[in-house]
Amino acid sequence: MSGKLSHDLFSLWFQAPVVIAMRCQNWTANLAAGTAWTNPELHRMISEKAAAATESALAMNRALLRDGITSFQRYWLGGQSIAAKGTRPYAKRVRANAKRLSRKPR
């Protein structure tokens, strides 16, 4: 497994549950305050998921087109380059969210 892919997979495995927990805490506080549906974190989460899915699909398609059939064979034979390209957008956002959500509110 390549270094970048293993780093991204580890950050997804470790930080995604932390981000989910911090968002649940945020939503609970907003629900108690009666502002759950106007919570900007809810809208941000949805738009980030859509952007990450699009970015991931585009990165994987670019890798397939750039590397041609070699990439396709590598993908089906267990290679990591396509998987790494598809995982990177999600891992990048999870790390950024974990950092942003862990800061104390001002």
Side-chain angles (χ1 to χ4, degrees):
M1 191 178 308
S2 73
K4 285 184 179 181
L5 179 60
S6 61
H7 181 260
D8 287 342
L9 289 175
F10 179 77
S11 74
L12 284 171
W13 173 76
F14 182 74
Q15 290 179 321
V18 172
V19 169
I20 291 168
M22 286 189 281
R23 282 184 166 154
C24 286
Q25 182 181 11
N26 181 293
W27 291 338
T28 303
N30 282 303
L31 189 60
T35 60
W37 296 110
T38 59
N39 183 358
E41 191 62 36
L42 177 65
H43 301 290
R44 183 178 191 151
M45 179 189 67
I46 293 168
S47 64
E48 281 182 351
K49 296 280 187 253
T54 302
E55 188 178 335
S56 178
L58 289 173
M60 291 172 70
N61 282 320
R62 269 194 308 269
L64 280 170
L65 289 172
R66 186 185 61 242
D67 297 341
I69 198 70
T70 306
S71 248
F72 185 74
Q73 289 171 335
R74 216 176 25 232
Y75 172 74
W76 288 109
L77 297 174
Q80 304 299 326
S81 70
I82 304 295
K85 302 259 191 261
T87 305
R88 168 114 347 233
Y90 291 102
K92 183 175 72 174
R93 283 176 173 79
V94 167
R95 283 190 294 270
N97 284 332
K99 184 177 180 179
R100 179 180 52 80
L101 291 169
S102 66
R103 282 187 244 137
K104 292 183 180 180
R106 295 177 186 187

